[in-house]
Amino acid sequence: MSFKTKKIPEHLIIKPPTWDRPKKRGRWILWLIGPIVCLGILVLAVESMAEEIEKPGSGQLVFRNQSGIDKAALHVSSKLAIEISGIVAHMTFTQEFSNHTNLWQEGIYVFPLPETAGVNFMQIKIGERLIKAVVKEKDEARRIYKKAMANGQKAAMVEQLRPNLFTQKVSNIAPGETIIIEIRLIQHIDYVSGSFVLRFPTTITPRYTPQRTINRIRRDNSNEPKRNEAELDQLETFKSGCAFLNETAGSGCAFTYETTKVTDEHKTNIHYQDQLQNPIEISINLNSGLKLSQITSPYHKIKVERRDMHHKISLRKGTTSMDRDFILEWQPTENNLPQTAIFREHLEDDEYILLMVLPPNHQTENQYLPKEMIFIIDTSGSMGGESIRQAKASLSKAIQGLRRQDHFNIIEFNSLYSRLFYESHLANSHNKQLALSWVNRLTAGGGTEILPALRAALRPAQSNELLKQIIFITDGAVSNEMELFSLIHTKLNNAKLFTVGIGSAPNSYFMRKAAQFGGGTFTHIGDASEVHSKMNQLFEKLENPLVRDISITWDSSTESYPNRIPSLYLNEPLLVVAKTKNLKGSVKIHGLTTSKNWSQKLILDTHKSQPGIASLWARAKIDSLEDEKIAGRSAEEVRKEIVNIALKHQLVSQYTSLIAIEEIISRPPQLKLSNSQIPNLNPRGHGTIKLNYPKTATGGELSFWMGCLSIMLCFIWMSRRYSLKKQI
Amino acid sequence: MIHNIRPTFIICCLLTITILCWGNALKIYFKAIAAQILINITWEQTLEGNPQPPWPWADTTPVAKIRNEKNGDSFIVLSGGKGNSLAFGPAHIDGTKHPGDKGTSVIAGHRDTHFAFLENSEMGDRISIQSLSGIWSSYEINKLSIHDIRDHKFWHIDSDLDQLLLVTCYPFDTIDPNGPLRLIVTLRQTIDFDSVSASILSPEDRFVSSLK
């Protein structure tokens, strides 16, 4: 309305020339300056755009560091000492954080641990001082840690991201100082196809979070600005062109939110570097109590010193780089393998028992049952390099091993999935040949969208006469494990799922759990030379389970895990941990084999006590509670139970962390604290190159429309001026 | 006082902005077209064994010629995937294999100039590449995917695969030059196995999806 005031036109029209002249000169200056200012603004805008072009640049490796200081701000060297007695391993994992900068530092390190290990001890070592950690609820521990960090006290905290993935945070490391963090964990040893196996991961294959999961989280998170919605919808529409992706929406929501919350956290925390000096020193004291025929480490060169039944094992070079899982295998001499092993511990009023029983091998050559075999092969980007070659070799081997009566199909997935056949075909030589050439052409690249592929594999078999078996070949480099377990749990029906873990650093947690929910077994292949023997072992297991419906007659005061004992395959032991009040007498084990019933009596109370069994029991209980959550129990209930058991047994879990605080305030408040993330090594054989995405749009269109906008404004202005003039 | 100068001054500013913006846009598109004409001449000379820079102060050299078999358009691919070569043509990303060689080769192009044709790409579309040796090889689109750079800071590529990746910004009809989405077109060299592949892939499995 202000335009209608008549003051403007009056000024414009009534212009005494004598008064105007000096003013006009000033106006001309403005006319000159105006465009120059505009030009300046435009140039600046273009400059800032150009800067953004340069920033992501070309294929350069960038190590992000929040403080922007030297790359190797913090240095970590690790030491692993393992004491193995029988089938229990006590590990001491030491991380040395040295600060090479002249700033106070907080170190953050994401590291893997064995997926069945219970972390029950941590201490900080600063010079001669030792500070022991306690287990607190996760949120409380975080609060304490943050407060201590702000106060300038030294503090350390271990948090669990996944059962096999942990974060270590150490605050207030003085310039030039070295802080040693000692973590202790306990684990039972696996027995696989005739040998005992200890697996210790040292690095993490980069994990993939499915696009759809991210989308859902973004949508769930109402605090997030809505700016992404349009783009996300576009993505969804693009993807919905592909079969079955829509079908999956709306399943497993309850878990996704939770898992991905954790995921986002670890996504920001893992950094990778290709050339990195963070060596690990490994020394093992092996006291298996058995006569051993050989001790081997398939991927590392080791030195073995023998003293009677004791073996001291160390790395031949002293240290190794942390780019692949460390594995130690030991084989007892034939006829020297006991059928049962029992370990116990007395703690407070309870007796804890760990028992391992190897069922007798009664396998008889009975009639071969034709099967429907579905192979799922992961061809995602993380499988690139050595991994995809191993996976293809394994799959080819499996195809060759099919019998004429079997039906089979292959599903290949990365961001999308595709199938060899629409429906399973008979494994005749023609179809096998087609399959082999199809497999030969597979290549790795793209995302790891397991869910749609798994869903396709789990669709009911075409005929119920066939025994359906799914063999899943992957590195498990995903972060939505819970969602997948829940799918396997609900959709499996009578099928069996077997996982084959590929690569230098597979996600063993995924392999083990997926196989557990799938009622099958897991196999690890870490080297091309192992493909033949490992796939043969797997094929032997693919025959019917050796022992089914196993039960143990505990008395009523006993709490034993696993809750439901899984069927055992060839050369697999029965492994149970139990807590009981009454250790007198014996228990009976019953089971069904293909030919006859198996029953065995075990006398419990004669065995010597050994520390750590209680922790193993608590760890197994937590594991079992997590499974209940997948089966549908309320998350809050499970959380309460896990917190209780974890606090009682001092274990790190999804809801509890270990935290240690030094009383002394070491950092003067006027000095700033920087923050450094310790990168992990890329797994060995990862033939991938890392590129920054190039900037692939010009500002041309933007400029054009900006020009249009400006001329439109110009016209509007002029027309208004014209109309104003007319009004007068 | 201010009422005196404002209208003319503002119109003057707005006109200047318009001229500058349109000039900038014109410059970008003119550069994209004119440079290709110049480089095309250089490419012919390069193939004849007489390599010369396209213009005396050029900091990039042609490395391949890419032809869209759908409409016959062709562009010369330049070395270096930085902003400066992308202005003149599709650019081969340093550190990846040369087009036509074994292994993964990555070519980036602007969505609104040279790679605008990717908007209509469909599975099975053919693209030919002429390498420095003059040999033409034919490629077929085998996958279309969209990456969000906010989720993945880096782009992991298996360098051992025999494939050609074309990358451009996505979607095609926005004006924001710094958008977070990229369209990745994966191409495989076509060999004579088409008959086999067609017979074993069911129609459902060949996700024939187009972008539009």
Side-chain angles (χ1 to χ4, degrees):
Chain A
M1 296 312 265
S2 60
F3 304 120
K4 291 198 173 161
T5 55
K6 292 197 171 146
K7 270 177 188 162
I8 305 165
E10 269 167 24
H11 275 269
L12 284 167
I13 296 159
I14 309 159
K15 280 186 269 180
T18 46
W19 181 73
D20 190 35
R21 212 168 282 146
K23 271 284 117 179
K24 212 169 189 175
R25 200 177 295 145
R27 226 191 314 176
W28 274 111
I29 291 166
L30 272 173
W31 277 28
L32 272 175
I33 292 170
I36 290 167
V37 169
C38 289
L39 194 77
I41 291 167
L42 208 80
V43 165
L44 275 177
V46 171
E47 284 286 287
S48 74
M49 245 149 67
E51 249 170 59
E52 270 181 84
I53 297 170
E54 291 306 319
K55 223 190 290 165
S58 67
Q60 248 188 352
L61 297 178
V62 183
F63 172 46
R64 192 157 42 120
N65 190 322
Q66 284 180 10
S67 50
I69 44 166
D70 184 13
K71 268 186 187 174
L74 277 180
H75 189 79
V76 171
S77 59
S78 313
K79 247 184 232 164
L80 176 65
I82 307 176
E83 284 284 336
I84 301 165
S85 57
I87 55 165
V88 180
H90 292 264
M91 310 187 201
T92 308
F93 189 43
T94 317
Q95 298 164 338
E96 246 184 69
F97 291 78
S98 338
N99 183 358
H100 296 315
T101 63
N102 43 23
L103 293 167
W104 286 77
Q105 292 278 3
E106 184 206 5
I108 301 163
Y109 183 37
V110 181
F111 63 101
L113 286 176
E115 71 279 8
T116 51
V119 181
N120 57 5
F121 181 89
M122 176 182 76
Q123 66 181 12
I124 319 178
K125 222 182 207 169
I126 313 152
E128 290 298 299
R129 283 168 292 161
L130 286 177
I131 306 146
K132 246 184 94 177
V134 283
V135 171
K136 298 259 187 209
E137 272 196 65
K138 206 174 206 169
D139 292 341
E140 196 191 345
R142 273 189 196 175
R143 261 199 312 278
I144 298 173
Y145 176 81
K146 273 195 187 137
K147 208 176 141 206
M149 184 162 77
N151 283 348
Q153 293 163 280
K154 291 197 191 327
M157 178 169 70
V158 184
E159 276 186 356
Q160 176 182 319
L161 295 174
R162 288 288 184 282
N164 63 344
L165 204 56
F166 294 80
T167 331
Q168 174 75 61
K169 290 185 181 170
V170 189
S171 77
N172 294 311
I173 312 172
E177 189 182 32
T178 297
I179 289 186
I180 298 169
I181 305 286
E182 195 182 297
I183 300 166
R184 288 187 203 155
L185 40 146
I186 181 165
Q187 193 196 2
H188 67 79
I189 303 290
D190 284 322
Y191 178 78
V192 182
S193 302
S195 39
F196 292 95
V197 182
L198 174 87
R199 174 176 277 264
F200 194 89
T202 63
T203 191
I204 312 144
T205 304
R207 301 281 170 89
Y208 176 86
T209 306
Q211 197 59 56
R212 200 176 37 76
T213 316
I214 296 172
N215 291 354
R216 194 182 304 144
I217 299 317
R218 286 206 186 131
R219 222 167 289 143
D220 287 354
N221 202 342
S222 51
N223 298 332
E224 271 250 338
K226 288 273 177 262
R227 67 188 160 80
N228 296 327
E229 277 304 308
E231 288 153 14
L232 290 174
D233 283 343
Q234 240 161 7
L235 259 165
E236 285 287 308
T237 16
F238 174 68
K239 283 195 167 173
S240 64
C242 321
F244 306 115
L245 264 161
N246 274 354
E247 188 194 317
T248 58
S251 73
C253 287
F255 307 111
T256 343
Y257 185 59
E258 211 179 278
T259 50
T260 323
K261 243 170 51 186
V262 184
T263 305
D264 287 339
E265 193 181 308
H266 98 240
K267 253 172 67 178
T268 50
N269 280 349
I270 304 179
H271 290 164
Y272 289 94
Q273 236 179 312
D274 282 324
Q275 252 107 51
L276 190 68
Q277 292 297 314
N278 62 343
I280 185 168
E281 193 185 311
I282 300 173
S283 61
I284 299 164
N285 241 331
L286 174 62
N287 182 14
S288 66
L290 301 168
K291 263 194 183 154
L292 302 182
S293 65
Q294 63 171 348
I295 300 172
T296 51
S297 171
Y299 315 129
H300 294 86
K301 289 196 171 110
I302 51 165
K303 207 163 62 186
V304 183
E305 285 170 49
R306 210 183 130 208
R307 231 174 279 134
D308 299 326
M309 302 275 262
H310 295 247
H311 294 85
K312 261 181 98 78
I313 298 137
S314 55
L315 291 168
R316 203 176 286 172
K317 275 190 187 158
T319 60
T320 183
S321 59
M322 298 176 81
D323 62 352
R324 68 181 312 165
D325 291 7
F326 174 81
I327 290 166
L328 190 76
E329 295 178 344
W330 57 99
Q331 268 177 313
T333 50
E334 254 176 77
N335 311 323
N336 192 24
L337 180 68
Q339 294 300 301
T340 57
I342 301 174
F343 300 88
R344 65 185 190 90
E345 181 184 19
H346 183 82
L347 195 77
E348 286 163 19
D349 288 338
D350 298 312
E351 290 284 347
Y352 296 88
I353 306 154
L354 167 70
L355 63 95
M356 192 181 92
V357 182
L358 203 66
N361 187 358
H362 283 313
Q363 202 168 36
T364 44
E365 268 302 314
N366 49 0
Q367 204 192 348
Y368 182 80
L369 290 170
K371 286 183 287 251
E372 184 190 359
M373 305 275 276
I374 310 282
F375 299 99
I376 311 178
I377 180 168
D378 182 348
T379 56
S380 63
S382 65
M383 292 284 290
E386 191 53 42
S387 298
I388 188 73
R389 282 189 278 279
Q390 288 164 21
K392 280 160 75 172
S394 310
L395 184 49
S396 303
K397 174 88 186 114
I399 294 165
Q400 283 155 2
L402 290 169
R403 303 205 191 182
R404 288 194 71 90
Q405 313 93 294
D406 294 337
H407 281 67
F408 79 110
N409 199 359
I410 308 173
I411 296 173
E412 164 275 314
F413 73 93
N414 40 60
S415 301
L416 302 172
Y417 75 89
S418 65
R419 274 168 291 182
L420 170 65
F421 305 116
Y422 183 62
E423 279 188 321
S424 297
H425 276 42
L426 203 63
N428 57 28
S429 61
H430 174 251
N431 286 340
K432 277 184 178 178
Q433 209 51 52
L434 274 181
L436 287 174
S437 70
W438 193 77
V439 168
N440 196 29
R441 284 201 303 277
L442 293 177
T443 49
T448 316
E449 299 282 352
I450 295 183
L451 205 75
L454 200 53
R455 196 170 274 263
L458 288 170
R459 264 188 297 177
Q462 43 181 313
S463 92
N464 290 329
E465 289 160 29
L466 298 175
L467 178 71
K468 184 166 171 178
Q469 292 184 326
I470 300 164
I471 297 179
F472 192 175
I473 305 169
T474 179
D475 59 0
V478 285
S479 54
N480 63 332
E481 293 108 330
M482 294 290 254
E483 197 176 12
L484 297 169
F485 298 154
S486 135
L487 175 76
I488 297 169
H489 176 78
T490 51
K491 290 279 152 73
L492 191 69
N493 294 327
N494 289 322
K496 295 266 181 280
L497 178 80
F498 297 78
T499 50
V500 179
I502 297 283
S504 305
N507 181 358
S508 297
Y509 164 60
F510 176 77
M511 302 303 152
R512 184 185 290 266
K513 274 286 171 190
Q516 182 204 313
F517 281 107
T521 65
F522 61 96
T523 310
H524 277 298
I525 295 177
D527 195 87
S529 61
E530 297 174 352
V531 169
H532 188 79
S533 60
K534 291 280 177 89
M535 285 311 276
N536 274 343
Q537 283 172 15
L538 175 63
F539 262 73
E540 281 172 13
K541 285 178 185 171
L542 286 181
E543 306 301 317
N544 273 327
L546 198 65
V547 194
R548 292 175 285 125
D549 303 329
I550 302 168
S551 61
I552 304 177
T553 56
W554 299 104
D555 73 354
S556 57
S557 70
T558 311
E559 216 184 322
S560 77
Y561 294 101
N563 267 339
R564 245 188 71 240
I565 298 167
S567 298
L568 298 179
Y569 289 87
L570 183 68
N571 283 325
E572 272 193 336
L574 166 69
L575 197 75
V576 177
V577 266
K579 180 180 96 166
T580 182
K581 295 260 181 232
N582 175 21
L583 200 68
K584 296 277 169 285
S586 58
V587 289
K588 244 185 176 173
I589 302 172
H590 285 284
L592 294 171
T593 64
T594 40
S595 51
K596 57 178 180 184
N597 287 354
W598 167 55
S599 78
Q600 195 164 347
K601 204 169 155 188
L602 296 176
I603 298 158
L604 296 176
D605 52 356
T606 57
H607 301 273
K608 263 202 285 177
S609 184
Q610 195 185 16
I613 308 298
S615 290
L616 281 179
W617 175 84
R619 181 68 181 74
K621 179 165 181 174
I622 290 173
D623 210 46
S624 160
L625 285 166
E626 294 275 354
D627 294 352
E628 279 179 36
K629 199 165 70 179
I630 290 164
R633 206 172 149 196
S634 102
E636 187 48 37
E637 258 178 62
V638 170
R639 195 191 74 86
K640 273 188 194 144
E641 279 205 46
I642 291 182
V643 168
N644 274 341
I645 197 88
L647 288 178
K648 189 179 173 211
H649 289 268
Q650 290 288 296
L651 280 175
V652 174
S653 73
Q654 198 188 334
Y655 307 111
T656 50
S657 311
L658 267 166
I659 178 152
I661 305 282
E662 193 186 30
E663 288 303 318
I664 314 158
I665 291 172
S666 45
R667 176 171 56 94
Q670 68 271 19
L671 292 177
K672 230 185 109 227
L673 181 73
S674 314
N675 153 316
S676 280
Q677 314 230 310
I678 288 118
N680 292 76
L681 262 183
N682 254 325
R684 176 176 303 198
H686 230 241
T688 54
I689 30 176
K690 242 188 316 188
L691 297 178
N692 271 307
Y693 288 95
K695 192 186 160 293
T696 46
T698 66
E701 217 164 325
L702 183 66
S703 286
F704 173 75
W705 288 111
M706 260 164 67
C708 289
L709 185 78
S710 137
I711 200 140
M712 245 165 65
L713 280 173
C714 192
F715 278 132
I716 292 168
W717 203 270
M718 275 163 82
S719 66
R720 207 177 55 213
R721 227 188 129 197
Y722 179 70
S723 68
L724 283 174
K725 263 185 183 169
K726 235 168 61 178
Q727 270 180 16
I728 305 149
Chain B
M1 226 160 61
I2 192 82
H3 299 295
N4 278 335
I5 48 159
R6 202 168 60 181
T8 1
F9 170 66
I10 284 176
I11 286 168
C12 192
C13 286
L14 284 174
L15 279 175
T16 318
I17 291 174
T18 308
I19 290 164
L20 284 172
C21 285
W22 280 356
N24 186 38
L26 204 69
K27 187 189 86 189
I28 288 168
Y29 295 121
F30 176 74
K31 236 160 84 173
I33 296 165
Q36 279 293 320
I37 297 170
L38 286 175
I39 302 164
N40 219 336
I41 300 165
T42 322
W43 178 248
E44 299 298 329
Q45 286 170 341
T46 310
L47 288 185
E48 284 161 17
N50 181 20
Q52 270 179 351
W55 48 91
W57 60 93
D59 57 354
T60 175
T61 52
V63 289
K65 186 174 187 168
I66 181 166
R67 188 170 67 207
N68 175 16
E69 296 294 345
K70 228 178 187 174
N71 56 13
D73 282 356
S74 63
F75 302 102
I76 307 294
V77 180
L78 297 164
S79 61
K82 290 228 173 108
N84 50 351
S85 2
L86 276 168
F88 307 118
H92 169 247
I93 306 276
D94 294 331
T96 64
K97 295 277 164 34
H98 271 269
D101 286 0
K102 281 219 165 281
T104 298
S105 170
V106 182
I107 298 173
H110 282 152
R111 68 158 175 227
D112 46 352
T113 57
H114 309 105
F115 272 6
F117 71 88
L118 288 180
E119 185 172 8
N120 302 316
S121 43
E122 282 175 22
M123 303 291 282
D125 278 2
R126 289 191 176 220
I127 277 167
S128 301
I129 289 255
Q130 188 180 28
S131 65
L132 274 170
S133 52
I135 298 165
W136 282 96
S137 31
S138 176
Y139 287 83
E140 196 180 78
I141 297 184
N142 140 306
K143 199 165 76 190
L144 298 163
S145 46
I146 287 168
H147 291 199
D148 190 331
I149 60 173
R150 289 166 303 189
D151 299 331
H152 308 281
K153 198 169 158 36
F154 295 109
W155 183 18
H156 291 265
I157 301 165
D158 188 345
S159 53
D160 298 347
L161 292 182
D162 296 338
Q163 61 179 358
L164 173 68
L165 303 178
L166 303 182
V167 50
T168 193
C169 281
Y170 185 84
F172 286 85
D173 50 6
T174 52
I175 55 165
D176 178 15
N178 298 314
L181 302 182
R182 297 286 183 278
L183 169 70
I184 314 285
V185 181
T186 309
L187 298 110
R188 292 278 153 76
Q189 205 156 359
T190 47
I191 331 160
D192 293 326
F193 59 65
D194 300 74
S195 49
V196 187
S197 116
S199 68
I200 49 178
L201 281 175
S202 69
E204 190 193 342
D205 283 319
R206 271 179 284 139
F207 298 112
V208 183
S209 56
S210 71
L211 290 166
K212 263 218 151 174

